[in-house]
């Protein structure tokens, strides 16, 4: 299926219908990287998106700095802003929960990204606005990890020229390194 709109609708329905009664475990590969105290960019899940909270908890316990995306419009690139659990998040476009625009902008070493779909080669399908594509291009050295449910895996995705593959994907049942 190459029609991205139809594929997105199918994968949203699969994700929405998936019983999410287990957290996604933090793999040893991720935990090992935390010793250097990298800046970890995460996200607050919307709806049925897989929750990266165990990864954020592990990063906080290791003394890492956490960042969240701050979105202004569909067309504008987002910035990664520092976030501490004590800071109340505000509402942003598309139902996002995000830090205030005045929070410090920081460069991530690891980027956790929500997915609509993925394949075993590390290709990802997002919401379609290109926010993460632009973030990956702006931070090419960052380790890119997709967080998803296993039902979001497809046999093959056909990336566009601007799509940047993931280094790893975490699901409730697997740690996938393409």
């Amino acid at each position: 299926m190459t029609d991205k709109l139809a594929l997105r609708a199918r994968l949203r329905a699969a994700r929405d219908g998936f019983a999410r009664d287990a957290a996604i475990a933090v793999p040893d590969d991720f935990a090992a990287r935390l010793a250097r105290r990298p800046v970890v960019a995460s996200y607050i899940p919307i709806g049925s998106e897989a929750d990266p909270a165990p990864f954020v908890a592990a990063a906080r316990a290791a003394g890492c700095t956490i960042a969240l995306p701050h979105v202004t419009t569909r067309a504008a690139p987002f910035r990664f802003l520092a976030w501490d659990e004590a800071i109340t998040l505000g509402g942003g476009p598309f139902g996002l929960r995000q830090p205030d625009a005045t929070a410090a902008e920081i460069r991530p070493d690891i980027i956790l990204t929500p997915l609509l779909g993925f394949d075993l080669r590390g290709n990802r399908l997002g919401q379609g606005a290109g926010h993460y594509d632009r973030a990956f291009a702006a931070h090419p050295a960052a380790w890119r990890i997709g967080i998803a449910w296993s039902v979001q895996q497809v046999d093959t995705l056909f990336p566009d020229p601007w799509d940047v593959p993931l280094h790893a994907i975490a699901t409730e049942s697997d740690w996938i390194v393409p």
Side-chain angles (χ1 to χ4, degrees):
M1 178 181 270
T2 59
D3 179 357
K4 285 189 177 181
L5 289 177
L7 181 57
R8 281 187 177 98
R10 181 173 66 85
L11 289 170
R12 260 190 214 99
R15 186 179 71 186
D16 289 348
F18 184 66
R20 298 167 296 280
D21 52 359
I24 296 175
V26 175
D28 292 341
D29 283 356
F30 181 82
R33 289 185 184 238
L34 301 179
R36 295 182 301 228
R37 295 191 177 161
V39 173
V40 177
S42 189
Y43 62 94
I44 304 298
I46 298 173
S48 59
E49 288 178 342
D51 192 348
F55 292 78
V56 173
R60 283 194 193 287
C64 299
T65 300
I66 306 299
L68 292 177
H70 184 272
V71 178
T72 55
T73 67
R74 183 174 181 86
F78 61 63
R79 300 178 303 139
F80 288 110
L81 303 183
W83 176 59
D84 182 290
E85 284 180 311
I87 297 171
T88 302
L89 297 173
F94 321 112
L96 294 174
R97 307 279 304 141
Q98 60 187 20
D100 185 84
T102 60
E105 184 171 356
I106 53 178
R107 176 173 289 283
D109 300 302
I110 298 173
I111 301 174
L112 305 176
T113 181
L115 304 175
L116 263 180
F118 67 92
D119 67 20
L120 294 178
R121 295 180 314 185
N123 295 312
R124 58 175 279 282
L125 183 68
Q127 297 289 350
H131 285 112
Y132 278 95
D133 295 317
R134 291 189 297 270
F136 293 163
H139 306 287
W143 194 38
R144 301 175 301 275
I145 302 173
I147 308 291
W149 304 113
S150 57
V151 297
Q152 296 171 252
Q153 181 179 334
V154 298
D155 290 334
T156 303
L157 287 172
F158 300 94
D160 288 312
W162 56 83
D163 289 333
V164 179
L166 300 165
H167 293 111
I169 300 118
T171 73
E172 81 286 355
S173 59
D174 288 308
W175 174 247
I176 302 160
V177 179

